[in-house]
Amino acid sequence: MRILVLGAGFGGLELTTRLSDELGHDVDIVLIDKADEFVFGFSKLDVMFGRAMPETVRHSYRDLVKPGVRFTQSTIRSIDPVRRRVNTDAGAFEADVMVVALGADLDPAATPGLVEAGREFYTMDGAFGTRDVLDSFTGGRVIIGVTSTPFKCPPAPSETALMLHDFLVGRGLRGTSEISLVMPLGAPIPPSPTASAALLEAFAERGISWYPDRLVQGLDPRRGVVSLANGESMPFDLFLGVPVHRVPAVVAESGMCVDGWIPVNPLTLQTAYPDVYAVGDVTSVGTPKAGVFSERQASVVADQLIARHRQAGAAATYDGTGICYIEFGHDRVARVEVTFRSGQRPDGQFDEPSDLLRADKAEFGTSRIRRWFGREWTSY
Ligand SMILES: Cc1cc2nc3c(=O)[nH]c(=O)nc-3n(C[C@H](O)[C@H](O)[C@H](O)COP(=O)(O)OP(=O)(O)OC[C@H]3O[C@@H](n4cnc5c(N)ncnc54)[C@H](O)[C@@H]3O)c2cc1C
């Protein structure tokens, strides 16, 4: 079986690792990514707040040596889902099965004034660059705001507010600073009322102002204000923004999207095209856009391809479950486990912040890098 995996993020790395571990040279896998390295989303926050150096969180695809897998660093220019064929800067590739794991692209320029007057902290450059901005910050009104839905890792803006609080306390700047969190959601983590209540309590304890159900529409660099979709405006000295998310242009042009994202069968991750699957942030599968969900979806696709190769009958289907670790400040981490099933209310369980869960989160990163890249690493 020739398998083409588009994108070497959470989904692509998990899929190719599972296939290689189970089938080795029995399959011919081509994994394509335009980047030369993988970086965890949570590492962006670690770098931004000075907990890690940029060079320690980069995982080079050079270390990706797996039986049956050929990694190609190249930009995908077009996707033909009918022929399961892509054109890239390194030539054309065709396969029996294609898996699209190209994630969500970020478009800071889509929000008026964000590039000129604010900072986005969702791209690698944005987060790493914000570290310098925070280093030279002397205090004032900070707004953390979201500019569109859906957005990756819904807890990340809340984590940013709590980590920023600690950062400013450490610098002796908290007394002269305000932190406001502006979110388009009614609760910090809507599927988990317990996690949301714990976060709201943590905000209140630290004097972080919480503005629910509000979307940032733009920044006015001249007046130094953020305009919200409901007509309100808020003055700021430092704006930290979550930029607009959309599928990569090459996916939009492939004709695979409906309402902006690739629809898939929520149990099998199959798209409308035979032998074409899609996993993770690029889909509208109904789970939040987070690495843990991409990874589990990729694993389900791997199960199906392994079963098909072995002619072993039906494989496991996707259950919509994911575990997210949440930075709660004071170097403690909480955990929320949520299951999303189509047509049902999401069901979540929350574990209070602790040092133990901080160790669990570190192990989460360590175990992925060990499995995907075959080397030892620790996040902090
Ligand atoms: C600040 C922050 C914190 C986060 N924290 C967490 C967390 O704690 N836990 C968690 O689970 N998730 C977290 N996330 C979310 C997580 O990073 C993403 O949801 C996850 O990476 C999505 O995985 P994916 O495989 O769908 O896509 P991605 O990991 O985004 O991978 C897509 C890949 O496709 C490649 N690509 C795109 N277009 C092309 C093209 N045209 N040609 C070639 N290659 C291309 C990209 O280079 C990329 O490597 C966080 C995100 C952010 C921004």
Side-chain angles (χ1 to χ4, degrees):
M1 196 171 9
R2 293 170 310 155
I3 303 171
L4 200 47
V5 181
L6 312 183
F10 254 94
L13 287 168
E14 179 66 14
L15 177 67
T16 46
T17 301
R18 286 282 324 281
L19 291 173
S20 175
D21 285 353
E22 304 251 358
L23 303 176
H25 288 291
D26 285 356
V27 282
D28 170 11
I29 304 165
V30 173
L31 172 63
I32 307 175
D33 203 294
K34 64 182 176 188
D36 59 358
E37 61 194 6
F38 171 79
V39 172
F40 284 114
F42 58 73
S43 294
K44 294 175 184 169
L45 301 185
D46 287 340
V47 170
M48 183 165 129
F49 289 110
R51 298 206 306 201
M53 295 300 288
E55 57 276 16
T56 64
V57 301
R58 301 175 189 273
H59 307 286
S60 170
Y61 291 130
R62 266 198 319 268
D63 298 339
L64 205 66
V65 183
K66 293 191 179 297
V69 180
R70 280 180 289 147
F71 175 75
T72 300
Q73 190 195 342
S74 191
T75 299
I76 299 161
R77 299 292 176 185
S78 67
I79 302 171
D80 179 343
V82 176
R83 293 169 66 197
R84 296 179 296 278
R85 184 186 159 93
V86 296
N87 282 312
T88 77
D89 291 349
F93 297 85
E94 218 172 86
D96 305 311
V97 173
M98 184 163 82
V99 185
V100 185
L102 289 169
D105 259 7
L106 301 164
D107 187 1
T111 303
L114 175 56
V115 176
E116 301 88 313
R119 295 290 317 175
E120 62 79 19
F121 61 95
Y122 259 46
T123 66
M124 201 159 68
D125 287 349
F128 292 8
T130 301
R131 178 193 180 108
D132 300 333
V133 172
L134 287 173
D135 270 344
S136 54
F137 186 60
T138 52
R141 294 158 299 187
V142 189
I143 296 179
I144 298 156
V146 176
T147 63
S148 81
T149 56
F151 62 96
K152 297 185 206 198
C153 194
S158 301
E159 294 179 291
T160 302
L162 294 169
M163 291 168 86
L164 179 65
H165 169 86
D166 285 355
F167 178 88
L168 294 174
V169 169
R171 299 273 160 131
L173 294 170
R174 188 63 183 100
T176 52
S177 301
E178 291 169 15
I179 304 176
S180 302
L181 176 57
V182 179
M183 295 258 281
L185 311 173
I189 305 181
S192 174
T194 335
S196 293
L199 280 167
L200 291 177
E201 196 182 313
F203 298 158
E205 276 167 15
R206 293 160 174 84
I208 295 168
S209 306
W210 156 249
Y211 294 90
D213 295 319
R214 289 166 172 84
L215 191 69
V216 171
Q217 233 171 15
L219 279 66
D220 183 337
R222 208 174 37 80
R223 291 170 52 224
V225 297
V226 168
S227 345
L228 307 181
N230 66 3
E232 292 171 356
S233 57
M234 296 172 72
F236 70 93
D237 297 301
L238 175 60
F239 178 80
L240 303 178
V242 174
V244 169
H245 288 46
R246 49 174 65 111
V247 291
V250 69
V251 176
E253 289 155 11
S254 73
M256 298 180 78
C257 296
V258 175
D259 294 334
W261 306 95
I262 303 180
V264 288
N265 177 322
L267 297 177
T268 62
L269 288 314
Q270 279 164 331
T271 68
Y273 300 85
D275 293 327
V276 179
Y277 297 79
V279 297
D281 289 359
V282 78
T283 72
S284 52
V285 67
T287 58
K289 299 203 179 299
V292 287
F293 293 101
S294 305
E295 178 187 286
R296 203 159 167 116
Q297 290 159 26
S299 189
V300 167
V301 173
D303 285 341
Q304 291 174 61
L305 297 179
I306 292 161
R308 172 168 158 180
H309 179 80
R310 293 182 176 150
Q311 300 181 334
T317 50
Y318 181 54
D319 64 359
T321 297
I323 290 175
C324 286
Y325 293 98
I326 307 167
E327 293 285 344
F328 248 77
H330 306 326
D331 277 344
R332 291 189 314 156
V333 169
R335 179 172 62 187
V336 62
E337 179 171 350
V338 192
T339 299
F340 293 81
R341 279 200 194 86
S342 118
Q344 292 179 23
R345 266 176 92 88
D347 181 23
Q349 191 203 307
F350 176 67
D351 294 314
E352 295 284 336
S354 68
D355 294 336
L356 206 67
L357 287 175
R358 180 188 167 162
D360 258 29
K361 179 183 169 184
E363 178 53 26
F364 172 87
T366 299
S367 58
R368 268 56 185 185
I369 296 308
R370 190 182 295 133
R371 282 197 307 112
W372 295 341
F373 293 91
R375 66 183 183 83
E376 291 306 311
W377 176 75
T378 183
S379 51
Y380 51 82

